[in-house]
Amino acid sequence: MTDLGGFHDNVARIDLSAGDVDYESIDDEDARHYIGGRGLGVKYVFDNGPDVEPLGEENLLAFMNGPLTGTQAPMSGRIAVVTKSPLTGTVTDSHHGGWSGARLKWAGFDGLLFEGKAEHPVYAVVEDGEVELRDASHIWGYGVHETMDELESEVDGAYGKNLSTMAIGPGAENEVRYACIINEDDRASGRGGTGAVMGSKNLKAVVVKSGTEMPKPADRETFMEGHKAAMQAIQESDVTAPNEGGLSVYGTNVLMNLTEEMDGLPTRNGRFTSTSMEAEEEPDDLNIDSEKVSGENVEENILVDDPTCHSCPVACKKEVEVDVHHKGQELNVRMESYEYEPAWALGPNSMNDDRDMIAVMMDRCNDYGIDSIETGNILAFAMEATEKGYIDDADGIDWGDVEAMTEMIEKIGKREGDLADTLAEGQERAARRSTPTTAAST
Ligand code: SF4
């Protein structure tokens, strides 16, 4: 056990196969040597055995907090999800913001360890130092947004007040190798296929209800000195100063114009390093302008709110609202995280500068529960494969075709059709499956 400040010394180990929950302490040496949620999570996953099959029931899925999570420390709302990745075959840690990490701490837990596989779909409710498993058969197949709505009404609580839900969508249920876990509608533990692992365990969601178990620092005076210094650094930085710094005003997408100027913006599936270089070397009607999808452009035209995570004065989340005409329908989409990397992957890397359709595609990825960065990359890969004749024109996707991209996102989430099923395997496996068509070899 550990009596280090910041920890509750309480981790729930949930055996989904047996339906049992055990509560265990944290080894003091581990708490000292493996720093934070990522460190401890990696230790648990490594101890579980490095040779396990990522989508097998023996894999361990850890949601881990560090000692600062849920305290007043700035930016301390993030939680690490650690497991063996079905995408890379090695350990992955993927972190999301919002409030679920802090709420897990306030509910009395440093972490949750899921092992085994439930006989039928279940969701976990975490409240007052206890974890309960409930039947989720009725919501299996639901998109993430609908899942969140349903669980808010089933668990006595309210989002934005005392409840957080971390859920998977159809992409994870279908074990898309880059399926993610979505927290609070739009925050993703996106990388490495954490959602696919959750889906392979028949675990649809984890609902966390806030309690009053506030973590206590071991030395309050020193903690407050550190807190003051951190707040001062945030306030004085050109990047993070609240309402003034680039990250605070424009979000992570402040990087779009910067990387374009620095020739560090991979474009056309990484063949060029800026949209201007691409236009210069291959002048054609595909050329695009990355400024149209930049943080500055978003802020001026479609920004509606600046939400934040627990204890963060930066508020880098950029909530946008768009009205688009898509597939003969008028769509209104409001979503919370117009981030740089998905905007780049679904944008310039795919030869697309349709700002509003990028928001639609990000939201579609979140609802299907597939990583919007990896999805953008695999779509760009499919576009280049189409151009080079590795995919038949009839099945392929043309550069920047937002209608086809949006449709393919849904097909990947459902693994519908041969191409989507191949793309759902991730770039490396998809490349191994591909063979040039006659068009390419002539
Ligand atoms: S609002 Fe942005 S900067 Fe602040 S903790 Fe959340 S992700 Fe980090």
Side-chain angles (χ1 to χ4, degrees):
M1 67 177 284
T2 184
D3 59 0
L4 282 180
F7 288 104
H8 289 313
D9 196 28
N10 186 22
V11 173
R13 188 178 286 268
I14 302 110
D15 181 343
L16 292 163
S17 304
D20 290 340
V21 183
D22 282 332
Y23 302 95
E24 54 188 51
S25 348
I26 299 175
D27 182 86
D28 191 56
E29 285 291 295
D30 290 348
R32 289 171 193 278
H33 288 120
Y34 299 93
I35 306 297
R38 169 162 52 185
L40 274 171
V42 168
K43 172 75 169 125
Y44 281 116
V45 169
F46 187 77
D47 285 351
N48 184 57
D51 295 327
V52 298
E53 181 55 40
L55 296 176
E57 43 186 284
E58 66 276 20
N59 195 7
L60 185 80
L61 179 66
F63 293 76
M64 283 306 301
N65 279 326
L68 288 178
T69 317
T71 67
Q72 290 163 275
M75 302 168 172
S76 64
R78 300 188 67 86
I79 184 168
V81 182
V82 189
T83 191
K84 187 170 176 187
S85 164
L87 188 66
T88 66
T90 185
V91 67
T92 185
D93 62 286
S94 192
H95 306 219
H96 62 248
W99 298 80
S100 57
R103 290 204 167 107
L104 183 62
K105 211 45 157 330
W106 303 338
F109 289 101
D110 300 305
L112 308 171
L113 307 173
F114 289 96
E115 54 187 30
K117 177 180 181 176
E119 215 171 291
H120 57 81
V122 294
Y123 69 96
V125 179
V126 182
E127 185 178 2
D128 288 340
E130 305 241 327
V131 180
E132 181 194 341
L133 294 176
R134 297 187 188 173
D135 182 42
S137 305
H138 59 302
I139 51 173
W140 197 251
Y142 277 24
V144 164
H145 302 324
E146 202 179 356
T147 300
M148 303 252 162
D149 290 346
E150 178 64 28
L151 294 184
E152 186 184 24
S153 67
E154 286 182 27
V155 178
D156 182 25
Y159 296 132
K161 201 170 158 209
N162 65 347
L163 211 64
S164 289
T165 294
M166 300 174 274
I168 58 167
E173 295 170 12
N174 293 318
E175 297 183 358
V176 174
R177 285 184 185 268
Y178 42 93
C180 54
I181 299 167
I182 300 283
N183 174 46
E184 295 156 13
D185 275 317
D186 292 310
R187 320 289 180 100
S189 273
R191 315 320 313 279
T194 55
V197 175
M198 192 157 152
S200 75
K201 295 186 171 304
N202 270 340
L203 178 62
K204 180 68 179 174
V206 180
V207 187
V208 185
K209 203 165 168 187
S210 291
T212 54
E213 298 287 329
M214 299 297 163
K216 294 183 185 54
D219 176 347
R220 181 141 194 92
E221 203 175 316
T222 307
F223 174 83
M224 288 313 293
E225 269 172 36
H227 176 262
K228 196 171 157 195
M231 288 299 285
Q232 190 172 343
I234 288 169
Q235 274 151 5
E236 289 174 359
S237 159
D238 289 344
V239 176
T240 54
N243 303 316
E244 288 174 20
L247 180 64
S248 184
V249 176
Y250 303 114
T252 54
N253 202 20
V254 69
L255 290 172
M256 190 67 75
N257 284 340
L258 289 172
T259 50
E260 169 75 29
E261 279 163 31
M262 294 164 68
D263 257 346
L265 181 70
T267 306
R268 205 161 175 151
N269 197 26
R271 271 153 67 190
F272 302 94
T273 55
S274 65
T275 55
S276 51
M277 177 195 274
E278 193 274 338
E280 206 175 294
E281 300 210 5
E282 292 210 17
D284 54 27
D285 56 6
L286 292 176
N287 300 149
I288 58 162
D289 179 4
S290 60
E291 194 287 326
K292 290 183 185 167
V293 298
S294 66
E296 287 84 341
N297 195 305
V298 166
E299 195 263 345
E300 199 178 321
N301 294 292
I302 55 172
L303 185 73
V304 289
D305 201 3
D306 301 275
T308 193
C309 304
H310 161 70
S311 195
C312 181
V314 180
C316 81
K317 302 288 105 188
K318 297 301 152 199
E319 187 165 343
V320 301
E321 185 168 10
V322 297
D323 291 295
V324 297
H325 187 79
H326 171 63
K327 277 180 144 178
Q329 285 184 314
E330 303 303 322
L331 281 186
N332 173 271
V333 170
R334 186 167 173 144
M335 55 89 59
E336 210 178 73
S337 299
Y338 202 110
E339 304 284 352
Y340 164 69
E341 283 172 297
W344 150 72
L346 294 160
N349 205 36
S350 301
M351 298 305 289
N352 167 34
D353 58 9
D354 186 332
R355 180 196 64 215
D356 295 357
M357 277 306 292
I358 287 175
V360 172
M361 288 190 276
M362 286 176 183
D363 184 63
R364 210 52 66 93
C365 287
N366 289 350
D367 199 34
Y368 275 85
I370 54 177
D371 177 22
S372 50
I373 304 171
E374 199 68 39
T375 303
N377 278 330
I378 200 92
L379 290 175
F381 165 87
M383 290 175 207
E384 183 166 355
T386 304
E387 179 190 285
K388 293 186 169 168
Y390 285 82
I391 300 171
D392 282 331
D393 282 348
D395 300 327
I397 312 177
D398 293 329
W399 290 110
D401 181 344
V402 290
E403 298 289 321
M405 289 169 75
T406 310
E407 203 173 311
M408 187 53 74
I409 288 169
E410 293 170 8
K411 286 183 171 174
I412 290 172
K414 293 186 271 193
R415 281 188 180 261
E416 185 182 294
D418 287 346
L419 179 58
D421 188 51
T422 299
L423 298 179
E425 288 294 296
Q427 279 196 40
E428 196 193 323
R429 287 177 181 81
R432 273 195 251 130
R433 275 196 199 178
S434 307
T435 50
T437 63
T438 319
S441 48
T442 50

